[in-house]
Amino acid sequence: DLIWPIFIVEGSGIRQPVASMPGVERLSVDEAVKDAIRAEGLGIPVLALFPYTNDELRDETGSEALNPNNLVCTACREIKKLGLNIGLMTDVALDPYTSHGHDGLLDGDKILNDETVDQLCRQALNQVEAGADIIGPSDMMDGRVAAIRASLDSANLRGTQIMAYTAKYASAFYGPFRDAIGTNATLIGDKRTYQMDSGNTDEAIREAELDIAEGADMIMVKPGLPYLDIVWRLKDTFRMPTYAYQVSGEFAMIEAAAANGWIDGDRAMLESLLAFKRAGADGVLTYYAPRVAELLADRT
């Protein structure tokens, strides 16, 4: 039920701690390969890959997303060489590659939806050709699921799955993640014009209906714990494979409280993950994936 998000950085032999996420590291590709081997041994079925792109590679259009030798594509190829029984999920959005930190192309302070979707299709094809099994469009542009599905089908890549970030809210819980991929320093303004309003539940239903009609294989709610009602409502309404993302802020809060001795960290971790399952999630993207897998293995 677990998907393990990991962060990729340039270099070799690098395990670089993320200050705002205790125990989480940025990994060079060779170290990511080691974690893929570890994940397979723990029975974790999928890794989700996110890049930390150096500033000199960022530009206004996020052109590095289309580089077949970028960090994500290189990591996919190196992991796939091993023939591991593990899936790879890749993030489709431009924010790790843009100088302004937004998920799409900009005209002044306006997001260009359709022009962004065209680039996202090219990014998705780039990742699948490198070995990605699951495409995760996290950008929240309108119509991107249908466009990506059509692009994959036309390239005879019909076996690739799409996990749509269906209900991705404009949230305060993303701060440590943005630190991990380096967009805290680059983001201009905020993302409220294209991410969802945290007070609106009906919008999630409309978005899910659209994503499913456009060809999504799975749908996701992000963040997870503050939106368990959305997880339950989507699962109850559509009976589709439904996932939750236990985001960086949720992880960091548990870790900070545990480090201060205010809560039992392992119990809080397991309780939070059980909450997702209780709400109807089929799986959870969580930085706790290896820790909980090891803990449960020890208990059995």
Side-chain angles (χ1 to χ4, degrees):
D1 296 338
L2 302 175
I3 295 175
W4 182 9
I6 63 173
F7 301 105
I8 312 297
V9 70
E10 293 282 359
S12 178
I14 294 174
R15 303 190 76 94
Q16 186 180 84
V18 179
S20 55
M21 299 176 70
V24 174
E25 301 167 312
R26 301 184 192 97
L27 310 172
S28 54
V29 170
D30 56 322
E31 294 297 321
V33 169
K34 294 177 185 177
D35 274 15
I37 296 170
R38 179 186 175 201
E40 183 190 43
L42 290 169
I44 297 170
V46 177
L47 293 179
L49 308 180
F50 297 92
Y52 179 93
T53 305
N54 291 337
D55 288 343
E56 62 269 20
L57 296 176
R58 297 173 183 266
D59 58 29
E60 289 191 1
T61 64
S63 60
E64 180 66 9
L66 308 181
N67 177 4
N69 296 312
N70 66 29
L71 282 169
V72 167
C73 292
T74 301
C76 284
R77 284 194 295 270
E78 291 302 309
I79 292 170
K80 285 294 182 178
K81 282 180 183 177
L82 300 180
L84 301 174
N85 184 26
I86 193 164
L88 297 179
M89 177 176 170
T90 53
D91 177 54
V92 175
L94 300 183
D95 55 325
Y97 307 102
T98 55
S99 54
H100 46 70
H102 280 281
D103 295 52
L105 305 177
L106 291 180
D107 180 9
D109 60 358
K110 179 183 177 182
I111 289 285
L112 300 174
N113 187 94
D114 293 356
E115 292 86 345
T116 298
V117 168
D118 289 342
Q119 182 135 324
L120 296 175
C121 291
R122 295 163 64 197
Q123 181 185 17
L125 287 170
N126 191 34
Q127 293 172 350
V128 175
E129 287 167 356
D133 302 293
I134 304 169
I135 291 297
S138 66
D139 56 284
M140 292 303 287
M141 300 296 120
D142 293 334
R144 90 278 202 207
V145 173
I148 291 171
R149 174 56 69 198
S151 294
L152 294 174
D153 287 354
S154 66
N156 199 28
L157 297 169
R158 294 177 177 83
T160 305
Q161 299 178 70
I162 298 176
M163 182 187 291
Y165 284 61
T166 291
K168 182 179 180 181
Y169 288 88
S171 172
F173 288 92
Y174 300 147
F177 175 90
R178 290 174 182 167
D179 177 26
I181 65 167
T183 60
N184 261 345
T186 61
L187 181 61
I188 299 170
D190 59 50
K191 302 186 179 185
R192 286 182 292 176
T193 61
Y194 51 97
Q195 293 181 351
M196 290 171 55
D197 180 354
S198 60
N200 190 334
T201 62
D202 290 341
E203 186 179 13
I205 298 295
R206 294 195 299 272
E207 291 286 352
E209 191 170 23
L210 286 168
D211 286 349
I212 294 165
E214 290 178 13
D217 301 285
M218 298 164 278
I219 56 178
M220 186 209 295
V221 177
K222 182 182 180 183
L225 209 59
Y227 297 92
L228 291 179
D229 59 320
I230 306 300
V231 175
W232 176 84
R233 194 171 176 194
L234 293 186
K235 184 65 177 181
D236 186 63
T237 301
F238 297 105
R239 298 295 171 184
M240 280 285 290
T242 302
Y243 287 73
Y245 198 139
Q246 186 178 45
V247 299
S248 58
E250 299 172 61
F251 171 87
M253 287 193 303
I254 294 173
E255 287 302 287
N260 280 283
W262 298 333
I263 61 173
D264 181 322
D266 284 346
R267 288 186 61 191
M269 170 185 68
L270 292 174
E271 191 173 339
S272 67
L273 293 171
L274 284 170
F276 295 122
K277 296 298 292 181
R278 191 179 64 245
D282 296 284
V284 185
L285 289 85
T286 177
Y287 306 98
Y288 282 126
R291 181 165 147 195
V292 72
E294 288 173 341
L295 183 64
L296 294 177
D298 288 344
R299 290 186 177 185
T300 56

